[in-house]
Amino acid sequence: MESRYYETYYRHETEHWWFRWRFKLIQQVLDQLALPSGARMLDAGCGTGQMLKMLQRRGDAVGLDISPEAIAFAASR
């Protein structure tokens, strides 16, 4: 992704209906998995970090991304 889009993407991850629906769907899937407390998770390609933030509330989650700009936005969450 071009670096100029990360700020917009960062905002949309918390406001746009598609992201909200996607996070809700993934939360439902995780609920069905009945993960143990402190489960370890990897968010490969974490982008600006909204999914990682949600995963960290469920266990020990780590995010990876190849973009330094994306990582900076993820760290700010």
Side-chain angles (χ1 to χ4, degrees):
M1 185 182 317
E2 292 185 37
S3 62
R4 68 178 186 214
Y5 293 114
Y6 284 111
E7 185 176 351
T8 302
Y9 197 84
Y10 178 85
R11 267 194 338 273
H12 285 316
E13 276 192 309
T14 57
E15 299 171 0
H16 194 276
W17 67 266
W18 186 85
F19 286 105
R20 293 170 128 184
W21 171 82
R22 180 176 166 242
F23 294 137
K24 185 176 181 176
L25 178 66
I26 292 170
Q27 287 176 354
Q28 290 172 351
V29 169
L30 291 173
D31 288 343
Q32 291 176 358
L33 292 176
L35 297 172
S37 177
R40 298 177 69 197
M41 295 167 273
L42 172 64
D43 186 356
C46 67
T48 59
Q50 185 64 20
M51 179 66 66
L52 179 60
K53 183 178 174 181
M54 186 267 291
L55 293 173
Q56 287 173 334
R57 290 192 296 262
R58 295 177 166 269
D60 182 18
V62 174
L64 300 172
D65 204 286
I66 63 170
S67 167
E69 294 94 347
I71 291 170
F73 277 106
S76 74
R77 288 196 194 269

